[in-house]
């Protein structure tokens, strides 16, 4: 599985990755863990400030695009005095191989972390063939 | 700030101004280099200070906040997900383990009036100024 479009930007510091979106906020590339087990692949993306309803997952031509829209209101009657991190939206895309059951991709958002589960397609699962005595 | 003279030779006399404006935009609210983990943003109000930090995947009961005079400390632990021994990690960009970050606040805060909550992985702490330290308005009496 490979990153699409954002791959060229990897290696840059996180703050430099921000591009501007149409709604005038920066777009960050979420930090991602990808782990593969026997039954499939799990992708975990950090998208702090994004509510479960503000995540968009799109699969088109084997390209899985994940977008998150952050909705963190500024603390009321406060002025930002010092900033170490920028707030904004998130976007990252991955190219999937054929071996996943693309119809059964499941996603769950919890505490700012999106977990996407890609089950392995039946055809791609290792199969044991029993040998019967003749 | 030095600019090559060729910048002035262009047709658009406002290009430099716009460019400078862009630089100021970046210089002012742009993020400073984080002094530790987690990175914090500090918001100032007249009677309180707010500190926000992005802590995705950290359970609220794993966050430990303490305050002493003007020093606010955010400590905690992010637990790595269980993946089994035969699992293969293709990418590990997220950090796990314990963390501790101390921030100097602009004024002494009342330890009993510190509120903290986590929403969608963003921690927000609001600490109120001690009542005895509040600025007092002094009336000027006519002579």
């Amino acid at each position: 599985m490979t990153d699409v479009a954002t791959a060229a930007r990897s290696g840059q510091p996180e703050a430099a990755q921000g591009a501007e979106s149409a709604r005038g906020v920066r777009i960050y590339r979420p930090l991602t863990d990808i782990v593969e087990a026997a039954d499939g692949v799990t992708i975990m993306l950090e998208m702090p400030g994004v509510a479960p309803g503000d995540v968009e997952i799109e699969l088109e031509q084997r390209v899985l695009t994940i977008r998150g829209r952050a909705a963190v209101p500024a603390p009321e009657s406060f002025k930002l005095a010092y900033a170490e991190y920028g707030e904004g939206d998130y976007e990252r895309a991955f190219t999937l191989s054929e071996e996943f059951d693309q119809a059964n991709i499941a996603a769950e958002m919890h505490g700012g972390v999106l977990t996407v589960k890609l089950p392995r397609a039946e055809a791609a699962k290792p199969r044991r063939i029993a040998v019967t005595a003749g | 700030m030095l600019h090559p003279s060729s910048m002035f030779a262009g047709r658009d006399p406002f290009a430099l101004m716009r460019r400078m404006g862009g630089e100021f935009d970046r210089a002012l609210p742009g993020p400073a280099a984080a002094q530790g983990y987690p990175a914090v943003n500090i918001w100032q109000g007249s009677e309180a200070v707010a500190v926000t930090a992005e802590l995705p995947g950290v359970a609220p009961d794993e966050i430990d906040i303490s305050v002493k005079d003007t020093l606010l400390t955010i400590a905690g632990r992010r637990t790595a997900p269980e993946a089994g021994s035969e699992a293969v990690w293709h990418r590990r960009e997220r950090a796990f383990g314990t963390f501790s970050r101390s921030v100097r606040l602009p004024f002494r805060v009342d330890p009993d009036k510190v509120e903290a909550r986590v929403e969608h992985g963003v921690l927000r702490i609001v600490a109120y100024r001690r009542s005895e330290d509040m600025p007092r308005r002094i009336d000027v009496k006519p002579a």
Side-chain angles (χ1 to χ4, degrees):
Chain A
M1 193 174 337
T2 48
D3 265 301
V4 178
T6 53
R9 282 188 290 166
S10 66
Q12 283 184 21
E14 207 182 337
Q17 290 171 4
E20 218 157 300
S21 75
R23 70 177 188 119
V25 299
R26 292 199 165 269
I27 299 171
Y28 292 91
R29 194 171 68 126
L31 293 176
T32 302
D33 280 354
I34 299 172
V35 62
E36 185 172 358
D39 57 342
V41 163
T42 303
I43 310 175
M44 286 156 282
L45 302 100
E46 288 190 350
M47 298 198 286
V50 178
D54 293 333
V55 180
E56 195 181 290
I57 300 167
E58 196 181 270
L59 182 68
E60 195 188 347
Q61 305 279 350
R62 288 168 48 206
V63 176
L64 182 77
T65 306
I66 292 153
R67 291 188 194 89
R69 182 186 260 241
V72 182
E76 266 175 53
S77 70
F78 285 96
K79 270 204 310 219
L80 186 62
Y82 170 74
E84 285 180 353
Y85 68 88
E87 289 169 354
D89 294 345
Y90 301 89
E91 187 173 329
R92 194 157 176 178
F94 304 91
T95 305
L96 307 183
S97 67
E98 299 280 5
E99 60 201 61
F100 298 107
D101 182 0
Q102 305 199 346
N104 285 305
I105 295 173
E108 187 191 320
M109 185 80 181
H110 184 71
V113 177
L114 177 72
T115 304
V116 183
K117 286 198 159 80
L118 309 164
R120 207 175 288 286
E122 283 300 322
K125 275 187 190 160
R127 222 167 281 188
R128 187 163 297 194
I129 291 127
V131 180
T132 49
Chain B
M1 209 185 298
L2 284 171
H3 291 285
S5 57
S6 61
M7 281 181 69
F8 297 98
R11 284 213 191 123
D12 184 357
F14 295 102
L16 174 66
M17 204 184 282
R18 273 200 301 271
R19 193 180 303 194
M20 284 179 72
E23 278 166 16
F24 287 132
D25 282 348
R26 259 175 284 141
L28 279 170
Q35 302 296 305
Y37 187 88
V40 295
N41 282 0
I42 301 178
W43 308 72
Q44 198 161 355
S46 54
E47 292 170 14
V49 60
V51 176
T52 56
E54 294 182 327
L55 289 172
V58 181
D61 57 5
E62 299 263 42
I63 303 172
D64 189 22
I65 298 158
S66 60
V67 64
K68 189 179 186 296
D69 290 329
T70 61
L71 196 69
L72 174 81
T73 302
I74 303 165
R77 154 186 292 277
R78 180 186 282 123
T79 314
E82 285 290 319
S85 54
E86 73 271 32
V88 181
W89 289 87
H90 292 292
R91 210 150 303 187
R92 294 200 94 160
E93 297 171 358
R94 304 174 62 213
F96 296 98
T98 56
F99 57 85
S100 180
R101 174 79 199 273
S102 292
V103 178
R104 188 66 72 181
L105 301 176
F107 42 69
R108 289 197 301 163
V109 296
D110 187 343
D112 297 327
K113 283 178 82 182
V114 180
E115 298 158 6
R117 64 195 198 110
V118 181
E119 197 179 1
H120 310 313
V122 178
L123 171 71
R124 177 184 300 180
I125 302 165
V126 178
Y128 290 87
R129 201 169 193 165
R130 290 178 184 215
S131 52
E132 63 262 36
D133 290 351
M134 290 282 192
R136 242 158 282 199
R137 194 186 170 90
I138 290 125
D139 288 327
V140 180
K141 291 183 189 122

